[in-house]
Amino acid sequence: MLAALESGKYKPNTLIDTHPGHIRVNGKTLLDPVNYHQLDVTGVLVKSSQVGTTKIALSLEHEAVYQTFVRLGLGDYTGVGFPGESTGVLPMKRRWSDIERANFAFGYGLSVTALQLAQAYSVFANAGIKKPVTLLKKNDAGEDGVRVIDEQLALQINSMLAEVTGPRGTAKAAQLDMYTAAGKTGTSHKVGARGYEAGKYMSFFAGFAPAKNPRIVTVVVVDDPKG
């Protein structure tokens, strides 16, 4: 969504036609749980619409999405210095098929750690400034940081993420009584020796609170959720 806003082709209220609730890409069918018909770009994020995300992704240069992930710290060490930290996997190819571009945009074909996700969301919480990750509590809020996202675009994304915890979002339970919250749910199919495993998933929520003046970023990961 950030890459879409940066392209200048989209705004949060730009309408995307997701009818009839599925889309064929390179012989693969990508589905939404229901036919959402028309959604604006914010709605595509709020509803986790694969159809909407796919249409947006295929209208962008694949390099734009890749570089967005790079700027947010995916595919690289966070610099926290913890032994055994993984960089995750952020593949770069000379040629991408349309299905790879679509999958990549909604989070398949790459892997990340919970700490990388937290760092990425902290960029939005800091209005576009990426700060070092540390295991030590530091009181200097103005310490080192580099702007990697335009402030106004970061704030637009934050407003979109706040709607995810609203009445029409996928994370209504993340809205608190005393504080506003913003974030995003995610689900990925677990991979086994023979490919994706039936009924096996990783689920997460990543976000921050309060939504308009964030003080805390958190990531919750559930391995093989039930229910």
Side-chain angles (χ1 to χ4, degrees):
M1 294 306 163
L2 176 61
L5 296 183
E6 288 181 333
S7 74
K9 296 180 179 180
Y10 299 93
K11 296 183 181 301
N13 61 355
T14 301
L15 293 178
I16 308 294
D17 185 7
T18 68
H19 180 77
H22 57 82
I23 187 171
R24 292 278 291 179
V25 182
N26 293 150
K28 303 284 187 180
T29 301
L30 304 174
L31 298 168
D32 284 340
V34 299
N35 182 2
Y36 293 123
H37 297 279
Q38 277 202 336
L39 291 173
D40 58 18
V41 169
T42 299
V44 171
L45 182 72
V46 168
K47 294 296 187 183
S48 293
S49 169
Q50 289 193 7
V51 177
T53 302
T54 297
K55 286 190 170 184
I56 292 171
L58 295 181
S59 74
L60 303 174
E61 294 293 333
H62 69 269
E63 182 73 11
V65 178
Y66 177 84
Q67 289 299 331
T68 298
F69 288 153
V70 169
R71 279 184 286 148
L72 293 175
L74 305 189
D76 196 5
Y77 292 110
T78 62
V80 73
F82 194 76
E85 181 189 10
S86 171
T87 61
V89 176
L90 188 66
M92 180 56 184
K93 302 180 179 181
R94 287 188 176 183
R95 295 182 180 179
W96 295 76
S97 68
D98 285 350
I99 189 63
E100 286 175 323
R101 292 168 60 196
N103 283 340
F104 200 62
F106 54 71
Y108 275 71
L110 64 151
S111 66
V112 301
T113 67
L115 185 58
Q116 285 176 325
L117 272 181
Q119 182 182 46
Y121 275 77
S122 76
V123 174
F124 294 105
N126 284 316
I129 296 176
K130 182 181 176 186
K131 295 188 177 183
V133 175
T134 175
L135 295 176
L136 302 176
K137 182 178 180 181
K138 295 188 175 183
N139 295 320
D140 183 4
E143 185 179 342
D144 306 340
V146 57
R147 178 164 297 284
V148 295
I149 300 172
D150 176 80
E151 180 177 4
Q152 290 306 310
L153 291 183
L155 294 177
Q156 285 183 5
I157 293 288
N158 291 1
S159 295
M160 294 164 67
L161 290 171
E163 291 204 32
V164 175
T165 65
R168 67 171 181 156
T170 57
K172 292 185 283 293
Q175 190 56 262
L176 311 174
D177 292 334
M178 297 179 66
Y179 299 98
T180 55
K184 186 74 189 75
T185 55
T187 304
S188 61
H189 223 136
K190 293 180 75 171
V191 177
R194 299 181 180 179
Y196 292 128
E197 296 189 357
K200 298 286 187 178
Y201 298 92
M202 294 287 288
S203 292
F204 74 88
F205 177 80
F208 47 85
K212 290 193 175 181
N213 185 25
R215 298 294 303 277
I216 186 169
V217 173
T218 187
V219 174
V220 179
V221 181
V222 183
D223 186 356
D224 199 14
K226 305 296 183 183

